[in-house]
């Protein structure tokens, strides 16, 4: 005999599981919600249905404990930090040349298109890892009026990826280059782009850009 939850329509093979589900989903209207999102509710439903396969040999307390443990794991997946950003040098569409400088300079990408998690600081051009994880970064460089764009992406001051492009003096076309890298970062690591001395970059708010996002967090016991 099966039991159907009136609110969710989920079919249960055991009254103990049905009772647990009903008690938890009924908290949806309370200030402290047990199920935080539709995605989590769907995942929890799957967890409950899986538990129906093992309840025949479990006591009520054992079933409750199993469900709570699995629910905690679902909550952990739901709480994965969300980090992503994209920014360009120039805020306006006006053509702008950055550099050349006498010494290497951090490129400050001021126009922020996306900054989920607020890990990128547009005032200084630096991304700070909020959690340990695998991150992917890309940056593009359009050659400025110096005729050469020599830039690099640094992690805590160490060169991780580079771009070197030169202009074509005959055609007058500004060349551009791009690079990307996956980095294992710990909380507090700094990632930024520098322009080496004697070179420059060109931008009109959408050509020379810096982007990055968290692929997945890394946890260590």
């Amino acid at each position: 005999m099966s039991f159907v939850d009136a609110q969710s329509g989920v079919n249960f093979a055991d009254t103990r599981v049905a009772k647990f589900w009903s008690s938890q989903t009924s908290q949806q209207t309370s200030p402290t919600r047990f199920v935080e999102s539709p995605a989590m509710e769907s995942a929890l439903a799957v967890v409950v249905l899986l538990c129906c396969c093992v309840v025949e040999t479990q006591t009520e307390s054992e079933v409750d404990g199993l469900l709570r443990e699995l629910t905690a794991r679902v909550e952990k997946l739901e709480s994965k930090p969300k980090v992503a950003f994209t920014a360009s040098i120039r805020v306006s569409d006006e053509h702008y040349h950055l550099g050349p400088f006498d010494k290497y300079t951090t490129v400050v990408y001021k126009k922020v298109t996306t900054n989920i998690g607020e890990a990128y600081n547009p005032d200084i051009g630096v991304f700070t890892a909020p959690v340990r994880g695998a991150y992917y970064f890309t940056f593009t460089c359009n050659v400025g009026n110096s005729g050469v764009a020599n830039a690099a992406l640094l992690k805590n001051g160490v060169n991780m990826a580079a771009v070197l492009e030169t202009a074509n003096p005959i055609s007058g076309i500004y060349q551009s280059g791009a690079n990307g890298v996956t980095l294992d970062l710990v909380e507090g690591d700094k990632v930024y782009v520098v322009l080496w001395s004697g070179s420059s970059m060109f931008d009109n708010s959408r050509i020379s850009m810096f982007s990055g996002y968290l692929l997945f967090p890394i946890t260590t016991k």
Side-chain angles (χ1 to χ4, degrees), residues 109 137-141 151-153 161-163 177-180 193-194 201 209-211:
Y109 297 85
F137 297 93
T138 62
F139 67 109
T140 58
C141 299
L153 184 144
V163 167
N179 209 341
V193 175
V194 298
M201 295 168 61
M209 309 187 75
F210 180 30
S211 300

Side-chain angles (χ1 to χ4, degrees), residues 118-142:
E118 302 294 329
Y120 173 72
N121 186 338
D123 294 326
I124 59 176
V126 177
F127 172 87
T128 303
V131 296
R132 184 183 179 189
Y135 294 79
Y136 184 71
F137 297 93
T138 62
F139 67 109
T140 58
C141 299
N142 206 75

Side-chain angles (χ1 to χ4, degrees), residues 21-51:
W21 171 269
S22 179
S23 67
Q24 300 304 331
T25 54
S26 65
Q27 298 181 34
Q28 292 292 307
T29 57
S30 64
T32 303
R33 294 180 58 178
F34 179 79
V35 179
E36 296 293 341
S37 67
M40 184 176 175
E41 182 173 351
S42 298
L44 183 57
V46 173
V47 168
V48 172
L49 292 174
L50 289 174
C51 287

Side-chain angles (χ1 to χ4, degrees), residues 148-219:
V148 59
N150 188 5
L153 184 144
L154 307 187
K155 168 189 171 183
N156 299 330
V158 179
N159 194 333
M160 297 285 108
V163 167
L164 176 59
E165 285 290 339
T166 57
N168 187 329
I170 299 177
S171 67
I173 297 175
Y174 288 104
Q175 304 294 325
S176 63
N179 209 341
V181 62
T182 300
L183 298 176
D184 181 353
L185 304 181
V186 298
E187 182 178 352
D189 277 348
K190 310 290 186 183
V191 178
Y192 50 96
V193 175
V194 298
L195 189 63
W196 299 119
S197 62
S199 63
S200 62
M201 295 168 61
F202 169 80
D203 187 43
N204 64 354
S205 80
R206 54 186 175 273
I207 293 179
S208 295
M209 309 187 75
F210 180 30
S211 300
Y213 55 90
L214 173 65
L215 295 171
F216 52 85
I218 299 174
T219 57

Side-chain angles (χ1 to χ4, degrees), residues 85-117:
F85 77 95
T86 291
S88 56
I89 297 174
R90 194 66 174 169
V91 175
S92 68
D93 290 341
E94 178 185 357
H95 291 189
Y96 176 74
H97 292 269
L98 178 68
F101 301 103
D102 294 334
K103 60 180 181 179
Y104 78 88
T105 302
T106 300
V107 180
V108 179
Y109 297 85
K110 296 182 179 180
K111 182 181 179 181
V112 175
T113 303
T114 304
N115 197 9
I116 300 171

